[in-house]
């Protein structure tokens, strides 16, 4: 058996090496590397940010690196569509299929070759980004205060701790029961599931909005496995402000749950880019500690509502790593996603000719990414119609929703958190997140696609 | 090294292949009930006009197409079994090579599919390139090759695993006379050491030169099969070769034949066939050194294919 | 020997070859179907009745039309050069410039047909979209369900009849479906004129928003420009690099003003401004918001810009093809 396994590995290796060499020799590798470097270096030079160093770093990471990752994803999806379909069209597969090669080996070889290609291209992009960043930050004349701010806020890996007092689901149930009791909700107009999700969103929005005179409380549990003496920051993120109100003018207190009678009032003094930060004193930032944050929007003649970010209004950030490691791990997650796209493209290419495979795979990926938008639009429409006493949802809606929802559910692990957005936000992309991505996207999802494609190739005549 | 056994290399019983359109309606009956047995260690020719079912039969033998009916065994196994492909070599009608890969890397790729170790691969690739006369073009991308050169690399990849059964679809198509002769020599060398060769060709002279047995297909059916000797011998005529005679001696000989046997003999000079004449000219020219961009005439069979 | 005859022969052949490709039928069907489905699925109006349907239809027209144009243009010439078909044709008394221009004209005909279908679907989709309608029961927001189902049925009918003809007469499925879908859309447009929004019989009036038409014409001009670029690039490049470069040109053209501002600031940027196609000239659906219109004089100016651009690109393409190895 080990002998057979070694032979199998040798064949997969040969096919992977061929896919890679063909890409290198046909100058595909060179063209793609040039394009990626053009985007990485070109965009930060031409896009005018807000003039600050932080703004420039965001342009580099969000726009340049994000666009490079997007361009590479699309290019690899299409390249993988051609991987099998072009071999079938041009007859190359005949010479491979008559060799002692299992269809699964053929598929895996192609896929691994594409993974190697994307790994090299991502490495080039990552090294280019890092080099450009270092050059820009350490140019003569760089404002040292700005440099310090960038290093303390963006160029590091911080573990995110979100408030744990989320009772939205129960509150939504309760509110729906009240609406039903008042005769304002009918299941035939909008389903219970949809209504609950819609109310939950509404409740989150209500929770995020603090009127003058109102208070909000967040409970934040510092994990036990926090590295000793790691700096901890409280970050407040605001969506919008009205009137003269400001989170800086409200009253903030921080309380250890272990000693609830000793609240520590503090001031948020530095508000920029919609965010304010507070370095949590070491005595508050010990592992296993639960902290309570209270905010009162102080009423005044000019004050208005403060609307916190709906998902990340108040959070604790524990510094656990540097930027270089975070960049590497986020590129690993991007690579895993590209690996899944390659698997999907190869699977489409085993069924269809190249252009059809490219269209089908791009459409499915696009639908998975934008499905949420369609469902949300649909809710808004349904809500409007329901509020106007209009008829029930159309048959088309009933058909399309399960399909879009299923696609979204399948795609959720691949798209739920953007590693590039986390990177530019200074949030830690952990090894556990990277390895989960690898296991789920490259192990399970791509594995299923591999088996499916191998079965189709086995059933398909290749003459 | 091939292991000679008593059983047939290829056995086909009642083979039918029907191609269908999108609606699953039959469009073409490419193979229509073929029965064929190809013994081991022989060179077998499959002849027929275009569209007679030769290539379809070969693709079924290789597991690329699936039969609509009938039974096919290749080296005792189903053609779809992956293990049996370890012992088969195939040269398709079109070369289907990766155009960006150099000749050496092309051969290395196909050798690696047989999980050959590095030393064996290197030795076989060197010998194969030498054999097909492309050692000087080993590092040129195959996409730059002429059709004949690509054909030679195709032949080299078909033999890289030292197969027990070699299937050659139009092996001499696009080759110059030297290449044709080389391919025929290789086929004869392979047969001499027990390898089974199945070839299709339109060039009847080629088939006649190398095949032990042949079958003629037409409209998907076998119309004739047997040894070349059986099929080509004209039973009621003989030819007699003698050295050049003087006009008087010739007159006497003809008179004697007419008188004693009562027949009217036909007399002419035997002529060298054009292939042999051409080869003589080229062999002489090849002795003179010159730079080369095409294929070279080496007249050699790779070492690993000569060992018995 | 009249050179015009081989030109027409080559043009016709290019068009037929292009619409027989499965991908083109797929893109066209997807464009019409998604445009038809939009007003049935997305009910919110973004402050204006029909805006969502109109903009989705035009966006699909632009995006899928772009893919169709680039795919057809890139594969047609490059594929024929690679397969040797071009060599066979050029061995006949056909000039290279005739061959090249016929290729572009054939692709342009396909794009015009594609655009006709997409524009019909957008016009009908805009009519279908929910809007305030006065009925006997009072004013209510209604979807034109009768037209909606007909519009959705048009591509299905085209595909079904093409399938039937393919089965019975063995005609090409792709080209037949392509043409039948356009015919079905025309039929829906004419038939729907005899009904009002509630589905009741009414005096004949097409009841579509003709303001959409100039927007569709401008998008068609943009598609012709990108087709010319793709055909010219494919004289020297294989389909994949041509597709990639066209994609890059498209994205650059879209981001042009965002990246480099609305007016040239230096001689270099001025030069770049004059050579890069600016898609913002062709995408003016915002002008229709709130009852606005696109003046035909503007359409005329943009058409002159597009024609000049196409002419220049084709000149370059002709020169490139004149020296290309086939």
């Amino acid at each position: 058996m080990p002998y057979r396994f070694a032979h199998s590995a040798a064949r997969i290796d040969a096919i992977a090496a061929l896919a890679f060499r063909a890409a290198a020799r046909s100058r595909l590798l060179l063209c793609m590397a040039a394009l990626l470097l053009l985007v990485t270096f070109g965009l930060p030079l031409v896009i005018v940010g807000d003039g600050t160093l932080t703004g420039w770093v965001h342009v580099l990471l969000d726009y340049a690196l994000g666009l490079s990752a997007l361009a590479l994803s699309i290019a690899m999806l299409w390249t993988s569509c051609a991987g099998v379909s072009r071999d079938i069209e041009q007859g190359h597969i005949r010479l491979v299929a008559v060799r002692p090669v299992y269809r699964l080996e053929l598929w895996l070889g192609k896929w691994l070759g594409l993974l190697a290609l994307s790994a090299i291209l991502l490495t080039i992009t990552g090294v280019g980004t890092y080099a450009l960043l270092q050059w820009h930050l350490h140019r003569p004349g760089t404002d040292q205060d700005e440099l310090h701010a960038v290093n303390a806020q963006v160029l590091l890996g911080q573990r995110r701790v979100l408030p744990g007092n989320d009772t939205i689901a129960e509150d939504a149930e309760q509110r729906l029961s009240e609406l039903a009791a008042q005769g304002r909700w009918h299941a035939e107009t909008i389903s219970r599931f949809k209504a609950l999700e819609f109310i939950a969103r509404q409740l989150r929005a209500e929770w995020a909005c603090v009127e003058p005179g109102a208070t909000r409380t967040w409970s934040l549990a510092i994990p036990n496995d926090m590295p000793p003496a790691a700096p901890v920051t409280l970050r407040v993120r605001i969506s919008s402000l009205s009137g003269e109100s400001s989170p800086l003018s409200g009253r903030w207190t921080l309380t250890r749950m272990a000693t609830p009678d000793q609240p520590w009032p503090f001031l948020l003094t530095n508000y920029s880019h919609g965010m304010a930060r507070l370095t949590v004193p070491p005595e508050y930032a010990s592992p296993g500690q639960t902290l309570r944050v209270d905010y009162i929007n102080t009423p005044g003649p000019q004050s208005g509502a403060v609307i916190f970010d709906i998902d990340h209004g108040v959070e604790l950030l524990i510094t656990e790593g540097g930027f270089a490691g975070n960049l590497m791990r986020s590129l690993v997650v991007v690579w895993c996603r590209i690996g899944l796209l390659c698997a999907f493209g190869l699977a489409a290419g085993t069924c269809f000719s190249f252009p059809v495979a490219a269209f089908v795979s791009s459409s499915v990926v696009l639908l998975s990414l934008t499905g949420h938008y369609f469902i949300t639009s649909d809710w808004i429409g349904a809500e409007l119609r329901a509020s106007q006493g209009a008829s029930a949802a159309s048959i088309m809606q009933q058909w399309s929703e399960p399909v879009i929802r299923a696609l979204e559910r399948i795609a959720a692990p691949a798209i739920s958190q953007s590693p590039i957005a986390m990177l530019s936000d200074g949030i830690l992309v952990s090894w556990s997140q990277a390895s989960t991505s690898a296991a789920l996207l490259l192990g399970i999802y791509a594995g299923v696609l591999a088996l499916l494609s191998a079965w189709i190739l086995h059933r398909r005549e290749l003459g | 090294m091939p292991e000679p056994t008593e059983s047939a290399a290829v056995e086909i019983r009642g083979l039918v292949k029907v191609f269908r359109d999108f609606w699953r309606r039959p469009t073409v009956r490419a193979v229509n009930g073929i029965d064929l047995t190809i013994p081991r260690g022989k060179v077998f020719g499959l002849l027929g006009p275009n569209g007679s079912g030769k290539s379809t039969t070969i693709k079924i033998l290789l597991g690329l197409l699936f039969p609509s009916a009938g039974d096919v065994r290749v080296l005792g196994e189903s053609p779809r079994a992956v293990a049996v492909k370890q012992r088969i070599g195939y040269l398709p009608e079109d070369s289907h090579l990766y155009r960006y890969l150099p000749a050496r890397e092309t051969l290395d790729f196909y050798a690696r599919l047989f999980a050959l170790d590095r030393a064996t691969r290197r030795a076989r690739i060197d010998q194969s390139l030498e054999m097909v006369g492309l050692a000087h073009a080993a590092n040129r991308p195959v996409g730059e090759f002429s059709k004949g050169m690509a054909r030679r690399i195709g032949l080299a990849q078909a033999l890289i695993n030292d197969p027990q059964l070699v299937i050659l679809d139009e092996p001499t198509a696009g080759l110059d006379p030297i290449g044709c002769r080389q391919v025929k020599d290789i086929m004869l060398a392979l047969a001499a050491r027990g390898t089974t060769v199945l070839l299709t060709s339109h060039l009847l002279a080629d088939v006649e030169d190398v095949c032990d047995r042949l079958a003629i297909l037409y409209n998907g059916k076998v119309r004739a099969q047997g040894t070349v000797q059986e099929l080509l011998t004209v039973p009621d005529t003989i030819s007699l070769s003698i050295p050049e005679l003087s006009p008087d001696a010739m007159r006497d000989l003809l008179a004697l034949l007419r008188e004693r046997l009562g027949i009217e003999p036909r007399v002419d000079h035997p002529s060298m066939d054009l292939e042999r004449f051409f080869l003589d000219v080229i062999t002489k020219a090849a002795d003179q050194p010159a730079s080369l961009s095409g294929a070279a005439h080496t007249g050699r069979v790779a070492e690993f294919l000569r060992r018995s | 020997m009249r050179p015009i005859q081989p030109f027409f022969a080559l043009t016709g052949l290019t068009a037929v070859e292009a619409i027989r490709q499965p991908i083109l039928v797929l893109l066209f069907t997807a464009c019409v179907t998604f445009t038809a489905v939009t007003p049935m699925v997305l009910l919110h109006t973004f402050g204006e009745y029909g805006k969502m349907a109109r903009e989705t239809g035009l966006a699909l027209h632009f995006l899928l039309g772009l893919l169709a144009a680039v795919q057809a243009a890139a594969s047609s010439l490059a594929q024929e050069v690679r397969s040797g078909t071009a060599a066979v044709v050029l061995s006949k008394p056909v000039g290279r410039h005739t061959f090249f221009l016929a290729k572009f004209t054939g692709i342009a005909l396909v794009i015009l047909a594609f655009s006709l279908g997409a524009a019909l679907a957008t016009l009908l989709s805009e009519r279908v979209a929910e809007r305030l309608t006065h009925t006997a029961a009072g004013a209510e927001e209604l979807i034109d369900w009768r037209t909606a189902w007909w519009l959705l049925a048009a591509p299905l009918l085209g595909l079904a009849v093409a399938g039937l003809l393919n089965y019975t007469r063995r005609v090409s499925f792709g080209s037949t479906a392509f043409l039948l879908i356009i015919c079905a859309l025309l039929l829906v447009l004419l038939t729907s004129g005899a009904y009002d929004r509630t589905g009741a019989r009414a005096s004949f009036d097409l009841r579509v928003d003709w303001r959409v038409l100039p927007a569709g014409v401008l998008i068609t001009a943009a598609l012709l420009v990108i087709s010319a670029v793709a055909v010219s690039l494919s004289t020297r490049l294989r389909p994949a690099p041509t597709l990639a470069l066209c994609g890059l040109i498209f994205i650059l053209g879209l981001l042009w003003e965002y990246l480099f501002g609305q007016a040239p600031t230096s001689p270099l940027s001025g030069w770049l401004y004059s050579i890069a196609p600016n898609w913002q000239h062709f995408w003016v659906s915002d002008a229709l918001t709130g009852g606005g219109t696109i003046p035909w004089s503007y359409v005329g100016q943009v058409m002159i810009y597009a024609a000049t651009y196409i002419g220049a690109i084709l000149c370059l393409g002709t020169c490139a093809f004149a020296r290309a190895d086939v």
Side-chain angles (χ1 to χ4, degrees):
Chain A
M1 189 59 88
Y3 185 68
R4 277 186 64 184
F5 181 75
H7 278 191
S8 189
R11 290 190 290 263
I12 292 172
D13 179 39
I15 295 165
L18 176 84
F20 185 79
R21 275 184 211 168
R25 292 259 156 70
S26 64
R27 300 200 185 92
L28 177 73
L29 184 66
L30 194 69
C31 291
M32 284 169 74
L35 182 70
L36 291 174
L37 287 178
L38 185 75
V39 173
T40 307
F41 286 93
L43 278 188
L45 296 177
V46 296
I47 293 183
V48 182
D50 60 0
T52 65
L53 199 59
T54 311
W56 186 87
V57 171
H58 278 296
V59 166
L60 175 71
L61 298 180
D62 273 336
Y63 285 85
L65 190 59
L67 200 62
S68 297
L70 180 70
L72 185 61
S73 303
I74 295 171
M76 292 310 296
L77 178 69
W78 289 5
T79 307
S80 57
C81 285
V84 176
S85 60
R86 284 268 192 245
D87 266 14
I88 293 174
E89 282 163 30
Q90 294 173 357
H92 294 147
I93 205 158
R94 284 184 209 162
L95 278 181
V96 178
V98 299
R99 279 12 194 222
V101 177
Y102 290 92
R103 301 293 195 255
L104 187 61
E105 293 170 352
L106 172 64
W107 195 94
L108 284 176
K110 293 261 175 208
W111 185 58
L112 291 175
L114 291 167
L115 279 185
L117 185 66
S118 50
I120 288 185
L121 290 168
L122 266 180
T123 306
I124 291 171
T125 310
V127 170
T129 304
Y130 191 76
L132 182 63
L133 185 71
Q134 292 302 323
W135 172 76
H136 194 87
L137 293 183
H138 298 106
R139 283 183 314 172
T142 304
D143 186 322
Q144 290 305 305
D145 290 341
E146 276 200 295
L147 182 62
H148 178 74
V150 166
N151 280 327
Q153 293 171 12
V154 185
L155 300 182
L156 68 177
Q158 303 167 108
R159 195 197 311 189
R160 175 178 261 158
V161 177
L162 292 171
N165 55 346
D166 195 344
T167 57
I168 296 287
E170 295 101 77
D171 293 348
E173 283 276 3
Q174 196 185 338
R175 187 170 296 189
L176 188 66
S177 308
E178 288 166 17
L179 287 172
Q182 294 162 8
R184 290 171 58 199
W185 169 66
H186 302 283
E188 63 274 16
T189 309
I190 179 166
S191 72
R192 179 182 175 77
F193 180 74
K194 256 187 188 179
L196 278 175
E197 284 203 49
F198 194 74
I199 292 169
R201 286 182 69 80
Q202 223 168 353
L203 286 174
R204 280 206 180 86
E206 284 172 18
W207 172 260
C209 177
V210 185
E211 297 287 348
T215 61
R216 279 287 175 279
T217 300
W218 295 269
S219 167
L220 297 149
I222 298 176
N224 287 320
D225 59 347
M226 180 192 120
V232 177
T233 308
L234 178 75
R235 186 164 72 175
V236 175
R237 196 191 292 255
I238 308 296
S239 274
S240 69
L241 301 165
S242 60
E244 293 292 312
S245 62
S246 157
L248 308 184
S249 61
R251 283 200 355 240
W252 291 89
T253 52
L254 186 66
T255 313
R256 277 176 293 199
M257 295 302 274
T259 53
D261 51 339
Q262 295 170 12
W264 174 58
F266 64 89
L267 291 173
L268 285 175
T269 51
N270 191 3
Y271 178 69
S272 67
H273 293 94
M275 287 184 279
R277 286 181 172 77
L278 170 82
T279 303
V280 177
E283 63 270 26
Y284 283 77
S286 52
Q289 185 83 253
T290 302
L291 302 177
R292 202 182 77 204
V293 178
D294 295 288
Y295 171 65
I296 302 171
N297 187 358
T298 323
Q302 297 291 312
S303 63
V306 172
I307 301 171
F308 290 89
D309 185 274
I310 201 162
D311 296 314
H312 303 120
V314 169
E315 59 195 355
L316 278 184
L317 301 173
I318 305 165
T319 304
E320 291 192 1
F323 175 74
N326 217 26
L327 173 68
M328 189 172 72
R329 288 186 295 271
S330 45
L331 290 181
V332 167
V333 177
V334 171
W335 180 68
C336 293
R337 292 177 179 192
I338 291 176
L340 178 61
L341 286 179
C342 288
F344 192 57
L346 279 174
T350 55
C351 304
F352 308 111
S353 64
F354 169 66
V356 176
F359 176 73
V360 169
S361 55
S362 309
S363 303
V364 173
V365 169
L366 199 66
L367 208 57
S368 310
L369 292 173
T370 57
H372 186 79
Y373 164 74
F374 282 110
I375 293 173
T376 314
S377 308
D378 191 25
W379 286 344
I380 297 167
E383 179 76 0
L384 284 172
R385 291 168 67 78
S387 66
Q388 291 157 5
S391 57
S394 72
I395 299 168
M396 282 304 296
Q397 283 170 270
Q398 290 167 17
W399 283 356
S400 62
E401 194 197 320
V403 176
I404 293 174
R405 201 177 279 282
L407 274 174
E408 196 196 28
R409 201 166 297 143
I410 293 168
I415 59 174
S416 56
Q417 276 184 309
S418 160
I420 302 290
M422 289 170 76
L423 182 75
S424 75
D425 203 15
I427 300 299
L428 179 80
V429 179
S430 63
W431 275 119
S432 114
Q433 196 181 339
S435 50
T436 307
S437 288
L440 191 68
L441 305 182
L442 300 185
I444 297 176
Y445 279 21
V448 169
L449 288 169
L451 291 174
L452 189 69
S453 308
W455 181 74
I456 293 168
L457 271 178
H458 184 71
R459 302 274 304 166
R460 191 174 168 178
E461 289 190 331
L462 300 171
Chain B
M1 193 188 85
E3 299 157 19
T5 61
E6 293 305 313
S7 62
V10 174
E11 282 185 283
I12 300 174
R13 295 282 167 266
L15 179 65
V16 175
K17 177 63 188 176
V18 179
F19 288 105
R20 295 173 187 278
D21 67 4
F22 176 80
W23 307 99
R24 307 294 302 154
R25 291 176 303 184
T27 49
V28 179
R29 204 174 180 85
V31 176
N32 191 8
I34 285 182
D35 293 308
L36 211 58
T37 301
I38 300 176
R40 291 199 186 222
K42 302 288 181 195
V43 181
F44 193 97
L46 210 50
L47 301 184
N50 294 336
S52 57
K54 305 187 296 291
S55 291
T56 304
T57 307
I58 280 184
K59 284 175 185 169
I60 291 172
L61 292 180
L62 291 160
L64 292 172
L65 296 177
F66 310 145
S68 306
D71 184 47
V72 177
R73 313 298 291 173
V74 177
L75 299 172
E77 294 185 53
S78 159
R80 292 184 72 180
V82 170
V84 77
K85 293 172 182 175
Q86 190 78 34
R87 297 179 282 157
I88 298 177
Y90 170 52
L91 171 68
E93 194 175 349
D94 297 314
S95 296
H96 299 311
L97 299 168
Y98 291 95
R99 46 186 291 114
Y100 295 107
L101 282 192
R104 179 177 291 282
E105 286 184 21
T106 300
L107 294 183
D108 188 58
F109 167 65
Y110 290 111
R112 288 173 76 184
L113 295 184
F114 293 99
L116 299 177
D117 61 75
R118 185 186 290 264
T120 310
R121 287 204 311 266
R122 186 170 294 175
R124 286 190 182 183
I125 291 166
D126 286 340
Q127 291 169 30
S128 300
L129 285 169
E130 181 71 17
M131 176 179 76
V132 297
L134 290 174
H136 63 285
N139 296 317
R140 265 174 64 191
V142 173
E144 293 177 6
F145 281 10
S146 70
K147 191 178 175 189
M149 290 166 81
R151 204 86 193 119
R152 287 161 183 263
I153 285 295
L155 183 68
Q157 65 77 25
L159 300 175
I160 199 77
N161 58 322
D162 188 10
Q164 290 178 17
L165 169 65
V166 186
I167 299 178
L168 307 171
D169 200 355
E170 304 285 353
T172 53
L175 288 181
D176 54 30
I178 306 166
C180 290
R181 185 67 257 167
Q182 277 182 310
V183 170
K184 285 190 273 188
D185 288 345
I186 291 167
M187 281 192 271
L188 291 171
L190 291 170
R193 61 196 286 270
T195 304
T196 310
V197 180
L198 167 60
L199 80 135
T200 71
S201 181
H202 293 299
L203 301 175
L204 303 185
D206 289 352
V207 177
E208 189 184 342
D209 276 358
V210 294
C211 288
D212 302 304
R213 296 180 67 83
L214 57 89
I216 298 174
L217 297 187
Y218 183 71
N219 250 359
K221 285 189 173 172
V222 176
R223 305 293 170 164
Q225 68 170 309
T227 63
V228 175
Q229 189 73 17
E230 284 166 9
L231 295 174
L232 299 188
T233 301
V234 182
D236 51 359
T237 308
I238 57 164
S239 67
L240 177 69
S241 292
I242 53 173
E244 179 74 62
L245 296 176
S246 67
D248 289 344
M250 176 60 79
R251 202 167 37 245
D252 292 346
L253 179 63
L254 291 175
L256 182 71
L257 287 171
R258 280 191 205 103
E259 191 181 313
R260 297 288 294 272
L261 301 175
I263 56 169
E264 186 57 47
R266 213 183 80 192
V267 180
D268 54 24
H269 282 284
S271 62
M272 188 191 290
D273 62 43
L274 184 58
E275 184 191 353
R276 276 181 62 187
F277 175 73
F278 182 86
L279 285 172
D280 279 352
V281 172
I282 296 299
T283 308
K284 282 173 193 158
D287 291 340
Q288 298 164 0
S291 67
L292 193 68
S293 62
H297 173 47
T298 62
R300 279 198 287 273
V301 175
E303 171 67 23
F304 75 93
L305 295 173
R306 273 188 271 141
R307 289 193 299 264
S308 56
Chain C
M1 185 72 202
R2 285 179 301 169
I4 204 74
Q5 208 166 340
F7 176 80
F8 284 137
L10 280 168
T11 300
L13 192 71
T14 305
V16 169
E17 276 288 300
I19 59 171
R20 280 187 180 167
Q21 289 182 26
I23 183 64
L24 207 85
V25 184
L26 196 63
L27 287 169
F28 185 55
T29 311
C31 179
V32 172
T33 310
F34 285 139
T35 307
V37 164
T38 304
M40 302 165 84
V41 177
L42 299 178
L43 299 174
H44 63 301
T45 58
F46 279 120
E48 184 187 341
Y49 295 121
K51 178 174 159 59
M52 188 73 181
R54 185 175 66 225
E55 298 215 332
T56 308
L58 290 172
L60 285 168
H61 180 182
F62 200 1
L63 198 66
L64 297 183
L66 180 94
L67 286 176
V70 174
Q71 207 281 329
S75 60
S76 175
L77 189 66
Q79 217 90 295
E80 288 196 12
V81 168
R82 192 152 179 233
S83 66
T85 316
V88 175
V89 174
L90 291 172
S91 69
K92 309 287 185 276
V94 175
R96 284 189 176 218
H97 57 283
T98 308
F99 182 81
F100 174 76
L101 292 176
K103 284 280 147 201
F104 169 72
T105 316
I107 302 298
L109 284 179
V110 174
I111 294 307
L112 287 175
F114 187 103
S115 294
L116 174 65
L120 284 172
T122 308
L123 278 171
L124 287 163
S125 169
E126 211 269 352
R127 174 190 158 139
V128 165
E130 187 177 68
R131 68 189 62 218
L132 198 66
T133 310
H134 296 282
T135 62
E140 58 179 317
E141 287 180 327
L142 274 187
I143 288 179
D144 184 353
W145 282 110
R146 179 186 288 269
T147 312
W149 288 118
W150 283 351
L151 176 57
L152 193 61
L156 301 177
L157 185 74
L159 293 175
V161 175
L164 190 70
L165 288 174
N166 174 263
Y167 184 79
T168 54
R169 304 198 172 186
R170 296 183 190 270
V171 296
S172 158
F173 174 78
S175 52
T176 313
F178 192 90
L179 297 174
L180 281 176
I181 291 173
I182 295 175
C183 293
L185 287 168
L186 271 171
L187 198 66
V188 173
L189 180 73
L190 293 174
T191 317
S192 67
Y195 296 88
D196 66 12
R197 289 191 62 75
T198 61
R201 285 298 296 265
S203 59
F204 187 83
D205 179 6
L206 287 180
R207 296 182 181 82
V208 291
D209 187 351
W210 292 109
R211 293 179 308 136
V212 173
L213 213 53
V217 170
L218 290 175
I219 290 173
T220 308
L223 297 181
L224 292 177
V225 170
I226 198 78
S227 304
V229 173
V231 175
S232 300
L233 286 175
S234 64
T235 55
R236 292 302 175 105
L237 299 176
R238 288 153 60 84
T242 306
L243 277 169
L245 263 177
C246 287
L248 194 68
I249 291 170
F250 175 69
I251 291 169
L252 270 180
L254 278 183
L255 297 177
W256 200 247
E257 289 185 2
Y258 174 69
L259 293 176
F260 304 108
Q262 291 196 335
T265 51
S266 68
L268 177 68
S269 61
W271 185 75
L272 283 172
Y273 253 85
S274 48
I275 63 157
N278 188 340
W279 304 122
Q280 303 296 347
H281 296 325
F282 300 97
W283 178 256
V284 286
S285 74
D286 289 348
L288 302 179
T289 306
T293 54
I294 302 168
W296 283 103
S297 58
Y298 176 77
V299 176
Q301 284 173 14
V302 175
M303 295 300 276
I304 291 169
Y305 169 73
T308 313
Y309 205 95
I310 291 170
I313 290 290
L314 290 182
C315 280
L316 289 174
T318 311
C319 293
F321 191 57
R323 291 164 176 274
D325 288 334
V326 293

